[in-house]
C-alpha cells in the first residue's frame, strides 16, 4: 500500500514503478532527511500540533532508523519511491500509527528542497576545504621555485621569461576566486525551506525559525512557491564547480605538455603516472588527462540542470527529481579531481635546468633588449624595429641575442654598450620585473605572503 494510495483504485505499473523511483540515487540523502524530520517533529510538538510524547517516539524511531542505515541493516524499497517515503514507511513499520503524524504540515516538496540544501551546504564546505589544501600546496611549490626561470608563453610561443612560482601564482589567483564563488553560493544555499509545504505553506502555526536554528540554517525562505520550485543554488554550485574544473583542466593541459619530451619541464611521480600495455617505454600523465576529460562531465551536469529547470511552470514538477544525479555527479567529480590533482602537483619533479634553457632560447629577452635601447633614449617603436632586425640576424646566424658580439651590436646601433649582456640575461629579465604582480622574486615573495594571509 502506497503512502499516497487513498485515491487510487489500481496499483502502479511495474515499469512505471521503476521509472519514477529515485531511491537508487537519492538514498545518499538519508542522513539529511532524518535530521530534517527530527527537527520537524520537535517543532510540531513545540507548537502543540503533536504531543511531546508522540514527538519523542518519532524522534527515537528516526534515530534507530539512522543507526540501522549506517550499520547497513536497511534494505530500501523501490516501491516506496524515494528516500523520503522509504524512511517514513520504515518509521510507521517500527513505531506504528504515531509514525503517521510525522508528515503533518509537510510535503515531500519542501522536504526534498531541505535535504538538498543541507547536503549542498556540507559538500560546499568540503570542496572549499579541498581548494584550501590545493592553495597551500601551490604556495609551497611556488616558494621553492621563486628563482626557477622558465619561458612565459603567448600563443604557445615563447614570449618573455617568468618563474615557475609566478606561473603557479596565476593559478592561485584563479582558485581564490573559485573559493569566493563557493562562499557566495553557500550564502544562498543556507536558506531553510521547510514550512513551504507542497507550494502554499500550511495552515498549522509552525515555528520555522526554530527548525532553521535546529538545523543550523541562518535564514528561512521567504516565499513558499519559490522555496519548493527553484534549484538555482544547485545550478550555482555546478557553475562554480565547472569553473574549478576549467581551471584544473587548463593546468592539466600544461602538465601534460610539460611532461612531454618536447617540453621536458617536469616529470610526474611514478605514483601519479601509468604505463602502456604495448609500449614499454611509456609513462603517461593519465591523472591530468582524466581531470581534463572529466571537466566535460561537470559542464554536462551544469547544462543538464539548467535544461531541466528552463521550462518548468511553477511550482514543483517531477522533472526536478532529475536534479540529483547531475548534482551528485558534479560534487563527486570535482572532489575526486581536487583530491588527485593536489598530490600530483606536490610530487612532480621540476626540471629547473631544462626550464631555464628553454627560457634562454626563443628570444624571450627581446623585449628587454628593446627596453635597454629605450633607456639609451631610443623611442620604443624604433627600438622594437632594431631588435626585430637583431632577431632576424640571429636566426640567420643560428645564435641567440646573448651570443651576439659587441661589434655586431654596435653595427646594429652605436649606443649599445657592454652592459647590454647583463640587461638581457634571462635572470635579469625576471629580476627587473619588480612591479606589483610581476615575476621578480621579491614581488613573488610578497604575493605568496599575501596569498597565505587569505586562507
Ligand atoms: N523524489 C522527489 C524529488 O526528488 C521528491 C518530491 C516528490 N514530490 C512529489 N510530489 N512527487 O524531487
Amino acid at each position: 500500500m502506497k503512502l499516497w494510495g487513498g485515491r487510487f483504485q489500481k496499483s502502479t505499473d511495474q515499469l512505471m514503478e521503476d521509472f519514477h523511483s529515485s531511491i537508487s540515487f537519492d538514498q545518499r540523502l538519508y542522513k539529511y532527511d532524518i535530521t530534517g524530520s527530527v527537527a520537524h517533529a520537535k517543532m510540531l510538538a513545540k507548537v502543540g500540533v503533536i504531543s511531546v510524547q508522540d514527538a519523542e517516539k518519532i524522534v527515537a524511531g528516526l534515530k534507530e532508523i539512522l543507526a540501522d542505515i549506517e550499520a547497513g541493516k536497511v534494505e530500501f524499497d523501490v516501491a516506496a519511491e524515494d528516500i523520503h517515503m522509504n524512511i517514513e514507511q520504515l518509521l510507521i513499520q517500527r513505531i506504528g500509527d504515531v509514525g503517521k503524524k510525522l508528515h503533518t504540515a509537510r510535503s515531500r516538496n519542501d522536504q526534498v528542497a531541505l535535504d538538498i540544501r543541507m547536503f549542498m551546504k556540507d559538500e560546499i564546505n568540503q570542496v572549499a576545504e579541498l581548494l584550501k589544501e590545493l592553495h597551500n600546496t601551490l604556495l609551497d611549490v611556488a616558494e621553492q621555485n621563486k628563482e626557477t626561470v622558465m619561458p612565459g608563453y603567448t600563443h604557445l610561443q615563447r614570449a618573455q621569461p617568468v618563474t615557475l612560482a609566478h606561473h603557479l601564482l596565476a593559478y592561485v589567483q584563479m582558485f581564490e576566486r573559485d573559493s569566493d564563488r563557493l562562499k557566495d553560493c553557500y550564502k544562498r544555499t543556507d536558506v531553510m525551506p521547510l514550512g513551504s509545504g507542497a507550494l502554499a505553506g500550511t495552515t498549522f502555526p509552525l515555528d520555522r525559525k526554530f527548525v532553521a536554528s535546529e538545523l543550523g540554517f541562518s535564514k528561512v525562505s521567504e516565499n513558499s512557491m519559490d522555496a519548493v520550485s527553484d534549484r538555482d543554488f544547485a545550478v550555482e554550485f555546478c557553475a562554480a564547480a565547472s569553473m574549478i574544473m576549467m581551471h584544473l583542466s587548463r593546468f592539466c593541459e600544461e602538465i601534460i605538455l610539460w611532461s612531454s619530451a618536447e617540453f621536458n619541464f617536469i616529470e610526474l611521480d611514478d605514483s601519479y603516472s601509468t604505463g602502456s600495455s604495448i609500449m614499454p617505454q611509456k609513462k603517461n600523465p593519465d591523472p591530468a588527462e582524466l581531470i581534463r576529460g572529466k571537466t566535460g562531465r561537470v559542464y554536462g551536469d551544469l547544462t543538464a540542470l539548467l535544461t531541466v529547470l528552463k521550462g518548468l511552470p511553477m511550482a514543483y514538477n517531477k522533472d526536478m527529481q532529475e536534479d540529483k544525479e547531475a548534482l551528485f555527479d558534479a560534487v563527486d567529480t570535482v572532489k575526486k579531481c581536487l583530491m588527485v590533482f593536489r598530490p600530483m602537483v606536490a610530487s612532480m619533479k621540476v626540471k629547473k635546468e631544462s626550464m631555464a634553457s628553454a627560457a634562454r632560447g626563443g628570444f624571450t629577452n627581446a623585449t628587454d633588449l628593446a627596453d635597454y635601447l629605450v633607456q639609451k633614449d631610443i623611442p620604443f617603436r624604433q627600438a622594437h624595429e632594431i631588435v626585430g632586425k637583431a632577431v632576424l640576424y640571429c636566426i640567420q646566424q643560428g645564435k641567440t641575442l646573448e651570443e651576439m658580439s659587441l661589434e655586431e651590436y654596435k653595427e646594429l646601433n652605436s649606443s649599445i654598450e657592454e652592459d647590454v649582456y647583463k640587461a638581457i640575461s634571462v635572470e635579469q629579465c625576471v629580476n627587473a620585473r619588480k612591479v606589483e604582480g610581476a615575476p621578480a622574486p621579491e614581488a613573488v615573495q610578497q604575493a605568496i605572503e599575501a596569498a597565505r594571509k587569505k586562507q
Side-chain angles (χ1 to χ4, degrees), residues 200-215:
T202 172
T203 53
F204 294 97
L206 304 188
D207 186 345
R208 301 187 60 212
K209 290 206 170 69
F210 171 81
V211 177
S213 91
E214 283 284 292
L215 298 175

Side-chain angles (χ1 to χ4, degrees), residues 14-86:
Q14 186 56 50
L15 189 60
M16 168 59 192
E17 193 131 276
D18 287 343
F19 186 63
H20 87 143
S21 174
S22 54
I23 187 64
S24 64
F25 51 86
D26 66 14
Q27 55 181 273
R28 75 186 272 181
L29 296 174
Y30 72 86
K31 192 178 71 192
Y32 304 107
D33 197 74
I34 292 177
T35 315
S37 288
V38 167
H40 181 66
K42 285 186 184 163
M43 182 276 295
L44 288 179
K46 180 171 181 280
V47 298
V49 173
I50 63 173
S51 70
V52 172
Q53 294 88 316
D54 284 353
E56 278 168 1
K57 280 188 202 137
I58 290 171
V59 169
L62 287 168
K63 289 193 170 155
E64 226 180 83
I65 294 169
L66 178 62
D68 284 356
I69 295 174
E70 250 141 34
K73 290 192 209 151
V74 171
E75 207 165 302
F76 292 112
D77 174 12
V78 175
E81 207 176 313
D82 54 23
I83 187 63
H84 325 293
M85 289 204 295
N86 262 275

